[in-house]
Amino acid sequence: MSTTRPYSPGDRGPEPSGASGKPAQEPSAEGASSGVPGEAAASARVRQVRTLSFEDQSGVVPLARDFTRQALYAWGWLPAATADQRAAAEDVLLVVSELVTNACLHAEGPQELRIACDNKVLRIEVADHGAGQPAPRTPHRAGRPGGHGMFIVQRLCLDWGVVRTPGTAGKTVWAELGAPA
């Protein structure tokens, strides 16, 4: 788990579309093709992106969870056929809740939630106006109230980090989870 890289390995950076809350799809070839018709299409992955603005919104945590749940249904994560698939979807909803809650408590509220999904990884980004640096509580003390959000994110995610744009107030906290098998 890293908080030093602005983007995880292989990430292409910010998506150019999806700001309207509608899904954006970006096909990209992955792997070599042997020339067999249809193989290139089968090996291509589609990156789907959805964005939610929190401007002038109240109840942002339930709003973020509902938005994420709708995306998970659209992308086939829900309804889940197995316990592992249900657990993966619940992990995504929990991470969204934790990141949005942290923005509410420590960063003057969230500006935007962005979720991107391809065949293998789901990426969650929460942009806010805060100057602070999120970090898991050290040492982690189970059973004590509060302060466990980033510890939960660290435990559930493949990787997470913070992106700052020079000359701009705020930051984007991102986290990535593996797609269910």
Side-chain angles (χ1 to χ4, degrees):
M1 312 297 160
S2 170
T3 59
T4 58
R5 290 191 312 263
Y7 294 102
S8 61
D11 184 51
R12 296 177 300 245
E15 298 292 329
S17 59
S20 66
K22 295 179 182 174
Q25 296 184 351
E26 177 185 309
S28 62
E30 188 172 272
S33 174
S34 63
V36 176
E39 183 180 331
S43 68
R45 67 179 179 165
V46 176
R47 185 170 176 103
Q48 301 172 323
V49 179
R50 292 191 177 211
T51 303
L52 172 66
S53 173
F54 292 111
E55 188 174 333
D56 299 325
Q57 298 289 331
S58 61
V60 295
V61 175
L63 181 65
R65 287 180 62 89
D66 289 345
F67 174 81
T68 302
R69 189 176 290 110
Q70 290 171 5
L72 293 176
Y73 271 102
W75 296 338
W77 285 51
L78 291 173
T82 68
D84 286 344
Q85 291 171 339
R86 275 189 300 281
E90 289 299 323
D91 288 351
V92 169
L93 294 170
L94 179 56
V95 170
V96 165
S97 296
E98 293 298 338
L99 295 180
V100 173
T101 297
N102 276 356
C104 291
L105 294 175
H106 307 293
E108 304 172 32
Q111 292 176 285
E112 183 178 87
L113 167 64
R114 197 166 131 237
I115 306 168
C117 182
D118 62 27
N119 297 350
K120 297 180 182 181
V121 176
L122 185 132
R123 182 177 173 102
I124 300 162
E125 297 179 357
V126 176
D128 63 50
H129 293 291
Q133 181 74 15
R137 177 187 269 181
T138 305
H140 173 70
R141 297 182 186 213
R144 297 188 92 192
H148 302 287
M150 292 313 295
F151 179 77
I152 291 168
V153 169
Q154 183 177 17
R155 293 292 301 238
L156 293 178
C157 294
L158 299 170
D159 203 1
W160 70 277
V162 177
V163 177
R164 294 188 188 278
T165 304
T168 305
K171 64 187 172 300
T172 299
V173 181
W174 60 267
E176 293 183 336
L177 294 97

